[in-house]
């Protein structure tokens, strides 16, 4: 099942020259990464969510981070990077590999890893232009807390198949929300 949504994640051209000449072309590549991630996450679904209704929970997605109207581009990049890193960490566990199809899981992790590497280039470039992120309120703290709630939920549910299914759907929703927010607009602007 393919999802048609604006994208959140970034793929950039990486050149073998010094960082100062790296290209960070967000508008051109924004759609590709999210589309790939959402497609793979969609394909990973194995069980019906109807059978897992009792396991649903509100992870309290940090809406304030994605709807911030005056977020700087470096902060937006930082939030996107943190989200992708946390998604990667979440699915790069022994518990995750026990639940998901190995081929799809490897495809997801490979795509996320590639996107993270590319996004780091943009983040380094943007930090150089806007100055250090030090001194700014940590824009990723709310994202980390959100993923901490997800990890605690999985532990409480003993990494059950239903718990992972609820988390998979939550991650799709979080990516969708982030990609259609002012955060995504800031990255394009």
């Amino acid at each position: 099942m393919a999802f048609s949504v604006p994208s959140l994640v970034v793929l950039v051209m990486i050149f073998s020259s010094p960082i100062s000449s790296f290209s960070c072309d967000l508008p051109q590549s924004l759609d590709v990464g999210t589309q790939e991630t959402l497609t793979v996450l969609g394909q990973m679904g194995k069980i019906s969510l109807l059978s897992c209704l009792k396991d649903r929970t509100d992870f309290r997605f940090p809406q304030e981070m994605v709807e911030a109207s005056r977020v700087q581009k470096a902060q937006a990049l930082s939030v996107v990077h943190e989200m992708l890193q946390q998604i990667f960490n979440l699915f790069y566990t022994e518990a995750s590999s026990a639940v998901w199809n190995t081929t799809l899981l490897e495809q997801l992790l490979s795509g996320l890893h590639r996107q993270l590497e590319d996004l780091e280039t943009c983040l380094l470039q943007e930090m150089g232009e806007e100055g250090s992120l030090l001194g700014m309120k940590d824009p990723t703290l709310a994202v980390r807390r959100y993923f901490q709630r997800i990890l605690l939920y999985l532990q409480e549910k003993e990494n059950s198949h239903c718990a992972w299914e609820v988390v998979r759907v939550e991650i799709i929703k979080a990516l969708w929300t982030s990609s259609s927010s002012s955060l995504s607009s800031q990255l394009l602007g």
Side-chain angles (χ1 to χ4, degrees), residues 70-77 130 133 136 183 186-187:
R70 298 184 54 115
V71 71
Q72 293 178 319
K73 190 172 184 177
Q75 288 174 314
L77 285 169
E130 291 185 13
L133 285 176
M136 280 196 262
L183 177 69
Q186 174 60 19
L187 293 175

Side-chain angles (χ1 to χ4, degrees), residues 2-180:
F3 292 90
S4 178
V5 296
S7 77
L8 165 71
V9 223
V10 181
L11 291 173
V12 281
M13 299 289 286
I14 297 206
F15 301 103
S16 58
S17 51
I19 287 179
S20 61
S21 64
F22 278 114
S23 172
C24 183
D25 189 13
L26 293 175
Q28 187 175 38
S29 61
L30 207 53
D31 238 359
V32 176
T34 296
Q35 197 71 321
E36 178 184 316
T37 301
L38 289 171
T39 299
V40 174
L41 283 167
Q43 293 169 347
M44 289 172 71
K46 296 191 322 185
I47 57 178
S48 168
L49 253 184
L50 293 176
S51 64
C52 300
L53 288 177
K54 67 183 181 333
D55 293 299
R56 289 183 312 161
T57 191
D58 180 7
F59 294 105
R60 297 184 316 275
F61 180 74
Q63 197 70 31
E64 71 278 2
M65 283 309 307
V66 298
E67 294 301 331
S69 59
R70 298 184 54 115
V71 71
Q72 293 178 319
K73 190 172 184 177
Q75 288 174 314
L77 285 169
S78 181
V79 168
V80 171
H81 183 273
E82 185 66 28
M83 281 189 67
L84 294 177
Q85 185 65 59
Q86 293 292 336
I87 293 168
F88 181 89
N89 294 346
L90 184 65
F91 284 93
Y92 189 71
T93 62
E94 191 174 318
S96 174
S97 59
V99 173
W100 303 114
N101 172 290
T102 306
T103 304
L104 290 173
L105 184 59
E106 288 174 3
Q107 187 178 349
L108 175 69
L109 293 172
S110 174
L112 287 168
H113 183 265
R114 198 172 47 252
Q115 293 164 16
L116 283 164
E117 285 182 338
D118 294 346
L119 189 56
E120 285 170 11
T121 302
C122 294
L123 188 55
L124 287 172
Q125 184 180 35
E126 197 62 35
M127 283 175 58
E129 292 173 12
E130 291 185 13
S132 172
L133 285 176
L134 296 175
M136 280 196 262
K137 180 181 173 192
D138 185 358
T140 61
L141 187 57
V143 174
R144 279 187 235 130
R145 287 181 179 152
Y146 168 70
F147 278 94
Q148 184 62 38
R149 288 188 293 272
I150 291 173
L151 287 171
L152 290 172
Y153 166 81
L154 286 169
Q155 289 172 356
E156 289 170 6
K157 296 290 186 174
E158 299 177 353
N159 288 293
S160 72
H161 287 276
C162 270
W164 273 103
E165 183 63 19
V166 167
V167 167
R168 181 189 70 84
V169 171
E170 176 69 18
I171 297 301
I172 290 171
K173 188 171 74 173
L175 285 172
W176 181 292
T177 300
S178 299
S179 66
S180 61

